[in-house]
Amino acid sequence: MIDPAYKKKMVVVEGSYAVAHSAKICRPNVISAYPITPQTHIVEDLSQFIADGEIPNCEYINVEAEFSAISALIGASAVGARTYSATTSQGLLLMHEALFNTSGMRLPVIMTVANRAVGAPINIWNDHQDAIAQRDTGWIQLYVEDVQEASDTLPQLYKIAEDNEIMLPGMVCMDGFILSHVYEPVVLLEQELTDNFLPPFQPENILDPEDPKTFGAFATPDTYEEFRYLQEQAMQKALPKIEAVAKEFEEVFGRFHGGLIEGYMLDDAEVVVVSMGSVLGTVKDVVDEYRAKGEKIGVLKVRSFRPFPKKQVCEALKNAHAVVVLDKNISIGTNEGALFIETKSCLYNSKVRVPVIGYTLGHGGRDIRMESIEKVIEETKKVAKSGITVESQFLDLREELL
Amino acid sequence: MKEIRIHGRGGQGSVTAAELLSVAAFEDGKFSQAFPAFGVERRGAPVQAFTRISNNPIRLRSQIYTPDYVIVQDATLLETVDVASGIKDDGIIIVNTTETPESLKLNTKARVMTVDATKVAMDIIGVPIVNTVLLGAFAGATGEINVESIQHAIRARFPGRVGEKNANAIQKAYKLIRREEA
C-alpha cells in the first residue's frame, strides 16, 4: 500500500501532464512549440496553462516548424530568457542543425524529448533513435526511467545547464508513449520547493542593445578549435554537477533517481544488465525473480548519456563476470547500439576486464517482455562461463518476416 | 499485482476506463498504472487498454499478456478478437451482453460473467456509453476496488450531472453483477 502521508502528495496523471506541470513550475520565460504531429500532450498542456494565466512572465510561441521552435528559443535564451520546448522523432531531427548552434553559442535551452522511432518506414512508437542521432550536438542528455523522474529531472537539468561554468543545452529523454501516455501516481513538482532549489537564470553574457555583444559569430581556423575544446570542457564540468544537483534535489524534495548512473542489486552482481530509460523497470522486475532464486544478477542504469560517465561506468562494472547492454537504437553499419559501443569503449583502456555483449531491441515500439529479458540474462550467464559467441545482435527478431 | 485488460472499439472509452480504474485503485491506497495499446486508433476498430494495480510500486512497462481480469465492452468483438488470450485460469472475464456466460462459449478456464451494461447505460445515463458502467461491474465481480472509489473517480473526472448519472449507473451495475438487484 502507498504510505498515506506520501499518498496525500500524489495524483494520478498522464506522464505528459506531469512534465508540462514541471516545466510550468520551473518558471520559463519563453516556450515554443510546433503543435502538429509528431508532438506530445506536453506542449498542449502548457498552452492550456498559458491560456489560463498560470505561467507568469512567459511567452508561448506557436511556430511553423520544429526548426523554428528551436530557433526561437536560441534567440530567447541569448537575451537571457529561461526557455523550454518539447519534441520527438522527426521533429527533433528537423532541429538537428540548430541543436549544434544552441550548444555552440552556449545557450542552456532545455527540452523534453519523448523518444520515438524515426522513419522510414513511418512509425509513431517508442525507441531511442531520435535522441541518439543527436549524440554529438553538444547537448546534455539525461534518460529517465519513470514519470516521476521525467518530472523531477527538469528542474535539475535547468540548474545544471544554467551553471555559469557549464552553459550547455540539455534534453530530458523520456520514452514516448510508454512514459508520455501512461497514467501513474506522481508527486507534481512543488512551486515553493522548486523556487528554493532553482534560482532565476542569470547568465553572464546576454544580447543587449545597451551593451552589444555577438553570439555565434565567425570563427576562423585560428580560433574555432578552442571553442570546441571549451564545449568539451563544459561537458566534463557537467559530470560532477549532475551528481551534485541530484543530491541537492534529494535534500530539498526527498526524491532521488540516480546521478550519472544508478545501480540496482549491483554490488555483488556477477551478471550486470546495462540500459537507459523505462525498460529498466521491466529489467528490475526480472532481476528480482533471479535474486529470489539466489542468482547474482544486477542492473546498471545509465542516466547521463552525454556527458558519458566513463569512470563511473568502469567502476560499477569492475566486479562483474559478464555484462550485457540493451539499446533501443542502432548505429547501422556496426550492428551495435550506442550505449553498447560507449560501454565497451570506456572499458578498453581501463584495468577492468569483463566480457560485454549487446542487444538492440524495442525498435519502433516492439514490446519488451519479461521473457525476452530472461533470455538475454540466460545468454549473458553463458558468456560469464564460456566467453562471447555473438557480440551484438537484434533481440526478438521475427525471422519469418525476413 | 493484478493486471486488467480492457477490450473495446475506438470511441468507446477503453482508455478512459483504464485511466479511471487506475485513479480508483490509487484512491484505495494502491499503486496503479494505466496505458493504451498504442496504435493508429480509428473509431470502431478493436482497441485495448491496460491497468495494473499493486501494493508495491509498479516498474513493469510491457503490455499485459496474462491478465487476471478482462473487460469486454462490445460483445461483437468476440467474433474477431480472442479476448480470453492469456487470461489466468482463476481470472474473470466480464462481457457486456444480453447473453448468458455459457452461450458465449469462450474457450477458457477463467470465470465468464455477463452484464447488460448497454441497458444500464441507456436507462440511467441516456447514452450507450458503457465504459464507466463496466467499472461498476468490475468492482462487483472482483472486489479488487471499492465501488465508492470508482464513483469518486468518475465524479472528479466528469463533475456535475454527467458524473452523478455515471455514478448511479456504476452502482446499478455493481449490484446487478452481484445479483443484489434484478
Side-chain angles (χ1 to χ4, degrees), chain A residues 196-213:
Chain A
N196 291 336
F197 171 78
L198 179 63
F201 178 36
Q202 287 174 320
E204 280 176 7
N205 295 298
I206 57 166
L207 275 185
D208 180 0
E210 301 295 315
D211 178 19
K213 288 187 178 111

Side-chain angles (χ1 to χ4, degrees), chain A residues 1-2 7 125 183 288 367, chain B residues 26 29 34 38 55 59 65:
Chain A
M1 300 292 276
I2 303 178
K7 180 174 176 270
W125 290 268
Y183 281 78
D288 280 358
D367 198 31
Chain B
F26 175 72
F38 313 112
N55 287 326
R59 301 180 300 202
Y65 298 95

Side-chain angles (χ1 to χ4, degrees), chain A residues 248-265:
Chain A
E248 217 177 301
F249 185 89
E250 185 184 19
E251 281 162 24
V252 176
F253 294 86
R255 299 189 292 273
F256 183 74
H257 310 282
L260 295 161
I261 58 168
E262 179 71 357
Y264 179 79
M265 303 280 172

Side-chain angles (χ1 to χ4, degrees), chain A residues 1-2 7 10 12 125 146 177 179 182-185 264 278 281-282 284-285 288 367-370, chain B residues 19 22-23 26-36 38-40 55 59-63 65:
Chain A
M1 300 292 276
I2 303 178
K7 180 174 176 270
M10 297 178 107
V12 176
W125 290 268
D146 55 28
F177 289 107
L179 295 184
V182 73
Y183 281 78
E184 60 188 29
Y264 179 79
S278 67
T282 305
K284 286 175 183 175
D285 271 13
D288 280 358
D367 198 31
I368 302 171
R369 304 174 61 160
M370 290 177 80
Chain B
E19 175 203 332
S22 72
V23 173
F26 175 72
E27 286 284 325
D28 281 351
K30 293 179 178 173
F31 290 93
S32 58
Q33 179 196 64
F35 58 102
F38 313 112
V40 186
N55 287 326
R59 301 180 300 202
L60 184 60
R61 296 292 173 185
S62 70
Q63 294 188 12
Y65 298 95

Side-chain angles (χ1 to χ4, degrees), chain A residues 92-93 96 99 130-139 141 171:
Chain A
L92 182 61
L93 300 194
H96 183 68
L99 295 182
D130 54 356
I132 292 298
Q134 315 311 322
R135 184 188 64 182
D136 298 334
T137 56
W139 282 56
Q141 288 193 346
M171 49 184 89

Side-chain angles (χ1 to χ4, degrees), chain B residues 61-80:
Chain B
R61 296 292 173 185
S62 70
Q63 294 188 12
I64 289 172
Y65 298 95
T66 54
D68 298 274
Y69 306 110
V70 166
I71 298 172
V72 183
Q73 296 213 63
D74 185 333
T76 64
L77 286 168
L78 303 182
E79 296 160 20
T80 52

